[in-house]
Amino acid sequence: MEPPVSDRWALADPRLAIDLLSTLRHEHDAVVDDLADAHQAAAWLRDRRLDAADGAQTPALLVRLRELVRRLLTTAVDGTPSPPDVVAQISRLAAGAPLTLTARPHPDGTVTVERASHGDPDATLMADLARSALILLAEPARDRLRLCRAPGCVLFFLQQDPRQQWCSPTCGNRARVARHYARRNTRQDADTGRG
């Protein structure tokens, strides 16, 4: 029997790509950008345990990648061909920092496998996020990738149930309320036209 190997590393978590896209959203009829400045970008990265250089360029790099990933995942949801230039740019970013692993055996026979970081932290960060988008396109989760259709929402999500249409219960409620008012206004317009 082989000793167990820890799962403290992964090639990339495909949910990171969705998290990156979720940094730009509508909230209370306003656009919120979690990457608007270096402080906000650093907080977002810390929340996800991602490393980056402490530089003013990090938000700009993340915003650039976010737009590329949005274009790529929108085509996946819509079932249209991915733009070759976007695929090439994301692929270049994914290859910008090689993924290497190190293993440490322990006296109890277990092995800890960890990612080894080398080189520029920003290149490593961008590579991790770009890989997450590419992995999302390549794995079965792609079939569950959706764009929320609630009014004003721009978020992507992984569908948990075949009937799920919205990214959250809040968006589901907002969509139902919007449909209710649209039906009511249509009835009122029809009644007014008959008067």
Side-chain angles (χ1 to χ4, degrees), residues 9-75:
W9 68 273
L11 181 60
D13 184 343
R15 292 169 299 189
L16 280 177
I18 293 173
D19 282 354
L20 178 62
L21 294 178
S22 298
T23 59
L24 186 64
R25 63 192 181 285
H26 286 97
E27 218 171 77
H28 308 295
D29 296 326
V31 175
V32 176
D33 187 349
D34 294 332
L35 305 176
D37 59 45
H39 178 72
Q40 288 176 291
W44 183 81
L45 292 169
R46 249 189 332 275
D47 288 347
R48 279 144 196 86
R49 297 184 180 142
L50 296 171
D51 297 323
D54 294 327
Q57 70 180 14
T58 302
L61 293 171
L62 290 170
V63 167
R64 178 175 157 249
L65 180 58
R66 180 178 65 194
E67 292 312 311
L68 290 170
V69 172
R70 179 171 295 285
R71 287 180 60 198
L72 183 66
L73 296 188
T74 298
T75 61

Side-chain angles (χ1 to χ4, degrees), residues 111-144:
V111 176
T112 300
V113 178
E114 298 174 318
R115 295 174 46 139
S117 251
H118 305 289
D120 177 26
D122 280 333
T124 300
L125 168 67
M126 297 300 284
D128 285 346
L129 291 168
R131 278 192 283 265
S132 73
L134 295 177
I135 288 170
L136 180 57
L137 289 181
E139 69 171 25
R142 176 187 179 154
D143 295 336
R144 297 186 299 119

Side-chain angles (χ1 to χ4, degrees), residues 84-166:
D85 64 315
V86 172
V87 173
Q89 289 178 67
I90 293 175
S91 294
R92 272 194 302 277
L93 288 169
L99 177 65
T100 58
L101 305 174
T102 60
R104 278 186 299 126
H106 300 283
D108 66 357
T110 62
V111 176
T112 300
V113 178
E114 298 174 318
R115 295 174 46 139
S117 251
H118 305 289
D120 177 26
D122 280 333
T124 300
L125 168 67
M126 297 300 284
D128 285 346
L129 291 168
R131 278 192 283 265
S132 73
L134 295 177
I135 288 170
L136 180 57
L137 289 181
E139 69 171 25
R142 176 187 179 154
D143 295 336
R144 297 186 299 119
L145 182 65
R146 300 288 184 273
L147 180 58
C148 186
R149 301 300 181 183
C153 189
V154 295
L155 297 180
F156 286 81
F157 65 96
L158 290 175
Q159 189 179 49
Q160 301 302 314
D161 177 277
R163 296 177 316 219
Q164 183 183 0
Q165 300 174 33
W166 305 289

